[in-house]
Structures are given as C-alpha cells and as structure tokens.
Amino acid sequence: MSIIGNKISERRKAKGLTQEELAELSKVNLRTIQRIENDENEPRGKTLILICEVLDINVEDLLNIKNETNYTANNLIYGYTLATKGTRFLANLIETLIFSVIIFIPYTLYTLSSLEEFHNIDSNPIGIQFAAIFGLIVGAIFYPIFTGNLGHRIFGLKVISSETGKDFNKASGGAIRELLKGVFSFFIIPIIWILWDEKNQNLYDKLTKTVVVDKNSKV
C-alpha cells in the first residue's frame, strides 16, 4: 500500500469509519476510496483535500511524509534525481582545477619565490588549516548564490536537506559543509565513502544531513 493510501486507511479505522461512511462524508465515490486504500490509485487535488478534511489530516504533512520516503530504484529523493558518483567526482575535479589555477598555483609560486619561504623550506602553504579556512569562505559565498559550490553550479547540481528536502542555501550551513569537505579530503575519506554509499553521498553529506541532486530533475 502506498504511503498516502496507508495513512488514509489507518486514520479512517482510528476514527471508526467504514469505507462507505468515509465516501459519504467526503462526497468521494466509494470505488475511489477502495482503489486508494488498495494502492490502485493515488488521490490528488480536490479528492485528496475532501478525504483529508473528513479524517482531520493535514494535506501538506501527508505529502511531506510521502516525499520523505520517496527514495526509489530510480534514485529519487524529494522529487529530485540524486547526483551520480561520476558527476559528483567530475564536479569536484573541475572545481579543484579552477581554484588551483586562480588561487593555489599563484599562491604557491609566490611563497616559493619569497626569501622568507626559501629559508623555511618545510613550510606548507596549502595545509589542512588553509583548506578549512578556504572551505569556510567558499561555502559562505557560493551556497546562498548557487545552493552549492562552484562545481555543483557548473554541472547543474544543488544541495538540499536530507531531512526536509529544502534548498541548502544558508551561508552558515554552506561554510560548515565545505569546511568538512576540505578537511576530510586530506584523509581521502570522501572518496572512499561515496564508492559504497547507496545515495552517492560523502561523509560530510551525512554529517550535515544533506544530499546532492540534479536541480533540473524535479518531478
């Protein structure tokens, strides 16, 4: 039985109503009620509203319950298609190359040519602390604009909450997510984790309760 059909059936029985009584009170055809509860049909629009009014069910809450369990063999979550492992890898690779050209390579060349760095050969300008700070800045800037990072933007992806399905577009949330991404990358944890995760998510996705989806795949 579908989530909606199951919820309607449970609430009807809890109220002590028969299918005939629900049909009469809601002005919905009895056969329609039977088809809904037998998972032969899914109520929409006015039909769903009429049934929910009689059973005291909030329509929006019912649809949210459906969305929260809408992970299927087609890799759907909250109506979006999950980003594939390959696409996520390419998005991360391209983003890294862009930032390397714009920031990391010039910065490294500058520090290596500095007399001070020449006398401190063990210095590593691109260390874990730099990655953490850079992640904070990137996340705070790009997430409110792109609902994700630069790589997501280029490949038509976005980050959403795994709990609500809403866009993950707060500066604070983006900063924390990119910070974790930068730190974990030094230990190759994200690369290993994503290979076996059924939703193609990394460890920092799990910790921030996010998923990466194709933003143009909403159904």
Side-chain angles (χ1 to χ4, degrees), residues 1 26 40-41 50 71 88 92 96 120 157 187 205-206:
M1 186 180 294
S26 64
E40 298 173 9
N41 190 22
L50 289 172
Y71 177 73
R88 292 201 61 183
N92 186 56
T96 301
N120 187 15
L157 308 176
F187 306 101
D205 294 308
K206 301 285 187 179

Side-chain angles (χ1 to χ4, degrees), residues 5 10 16 19 32 40-41 55-56 62 65 87 92 94 97 124 129 131-132 156 167 196 215:
E10 288 181 351
Q19 290 182 332
T32 299
E40 298 173 9
N41 190 22
L55 299 178
D56 296 323
L62 185 60
I65 292 174
T87 302
N92 186 56
I94 295 300
L97 290 175
N124 182 10
Q129 292 181 335
D167 287 355
W196 290 276
K215 68 178 181 181

